[in-house]
Amino acid sequence: MSDMLRLLMRMFAIAFGFFAGCLAAGLAYAFLARLVVPEDFGRFSDLELTVTLVVGVVGVASLFARAVLIPAFAIIAIFEFLRRRDWLSYALAGAVLALASGVYLAGGTTAEPAQIIAIHTACAIIGASVYWLVTGRNAGRWLPSERARTATAVDGEA
């Protein structure tokens, strides 16, 4: 497989992982910020609750994605070239992005600022963890030096 195709596939995987992480953060926000509470499951019809949940999660996920898109891709690029594959790096980077971006969607809530910051930080850690599960565990494996190192190790074992 050519290097260009390998890079294109990696970029697609990064975009998909970012999308999945944002959806996970949006779902976590919907429940942590109490946009959807367990009492709603018996009170509304299944279709109404499903539409509300899908629209709410996608809407919150798009807000998160818009707020951290450029800094997140910068961190992802750094982690790719440094071959960072550990979960903790991604979780801490997500928390730092949440704190640095200052996206505190307090509209309509009566929550305290500390509670809002905690919810956003938790959602960012959840989103970063999902990104790590989907894409981050293989960071840097597409780089030529990494492939040469694994090929040499396999040849040396045989």
Side-chain angles (χ1 to χ4, degrees), residues 8 11 48 51 88 92 110 118 134 145 149 151 153-154 158:
L8 186 63
M11 289 172 64
E48 185 180 1
V51 168
L88 186 60
L92 291 176
T110 59
V134 173
S145 60
R149 189 179 321 149
V154 170

Side-chain angles (χ1 to χ4, degrees), residues 1-11 147:
M1 186 181 320
S2 72
D3 290 338
M4 200 61 150
L5 183 60
R6 187 172 280 117
L7 178 62
L8 186 63
M9 286 177 50
R10 185 64 189 167
M11 289 172 64
R147 287 184 288 124

